[in-house]
Amino acid sequence: MLRITSFNSCFLGLAIILCLGCTAPTLTSRVIEQDSSWFVRLDSFLDAGSASPRYDHPIVWRDEELSAILSRLLLQERVGLMDNARPPRSVFSLEEINLLVPTIRKSFQEATSREWIVFALVGQEGTGRETTSGGLFVEAGKLHLVIANHRLPLAGDSGELGRVRANPLHSVQGSGGTLAFDSPRFVIETKANWSGGHRASASELILAHAAFLSSLQRTGSAAAVHIRGSHAPATAPEFDAPRSGSPKSGQMDSEGIILRLREEIEVLKQQLADQASEIDRLKRREPRTTPTP
């Protein structure tokens, strides 16, 4: 059974203490990179003592490893019981991945065992801000990815945007869905994360990242960074070449076949939806004739 030592449980205890009238630990931050539209930083509790969480930080990543993980991070939208399930959406665009990865890698290298990585993408100055925010940390050898807000429109002068900036794990209306991963066999658990407050929960995914990266190297299937729904050209991560004894040239591994089938299924679903929409449109335009007696 998975030991309950997660970031979520620590924060939940702090929330309970706060509700009982005690003073919660103060959040302190170290900025790694920021400008008017985005930032990545390290957060921790000031004077939290033994109550502060402990992580496997610092840790060294390669850019291509983080890119391979973030490009496969998906958000499965919640639907009603009578609604059809919708295809999952990529959490990050290729542009966002290229922006975040170098700074997230640097953050993991500089983080202490008491600090976790947070980020926020808040759009461009002078426009309606589509805010995406969350955090990352490695605990007990597993990577935790948290999305608190995903492309949520927030006014530049709104109090909620200020609260997200102060704590990117603060979720305004929930994450908008449940985190998923394009190679689901490496997902250990997904759960609600209430560390940003009690109003709404973020979505947290725990990933066996070492096994995932080892699988990519072992099978030689470190495929191009794939952004679902994007037509931008992808860049292949520079993983080690396949070892001797790997599958013959042209022979696709089972995981690659599954991913290809999933993509084809989603394309077929979209084509069927488009055809149904076109049929409905033509029916509405079809002139109605009155039968002659």
Side-chain angles (χ1 to χ4, degrees), residues 153-164:
L154 291 174
D157 57 352
S158 72
E160 289 293 359
L161 181 58
R163 281 183 276 275
V164 171

Side-chain angles (χ1 to χ4, degrees), residues 59-110:
I59 186 171
V60 176
W61 295 87
R62 291 188 291 173
D63 283 357
E64 57 266 25
E65 292 174 333
L66 289 170
S67 295
I69 291 171
L70 295 185
S71 68
R72 289 166 171 82
L73 192 62
L74 308 171
L75 194 67
Q76 180 64 63
E77 186 178 351
R78 298 185 183 93
V79 295
L81 293 176
M82 303 302 294
D83 297 329
N84 294 324
R86 299 174 184 175
R89 297 173 292 162
S90 294
V91 172
F92 301 106
S93 68
L94 182 60
E95 180 182 4
E96 290 169 338
I97 290 173
N98 291 335
L99 177 70
L100 289 172
V101 159
T103 309
I104 289 177
R105 174 183 51 78
K106 181 180 178 182
S107 300
F108 270 112
Q109 290 177 320
E110 297 188 9

Side-chain angles (χ1 to χ4, degrees), residues 207-218:
L207 183 70
H209 67 283
F212 166 67
L213 296 174
S214 176
S215 174
L216 291 184
Q217 292 177 337
R218 183 174 61 254

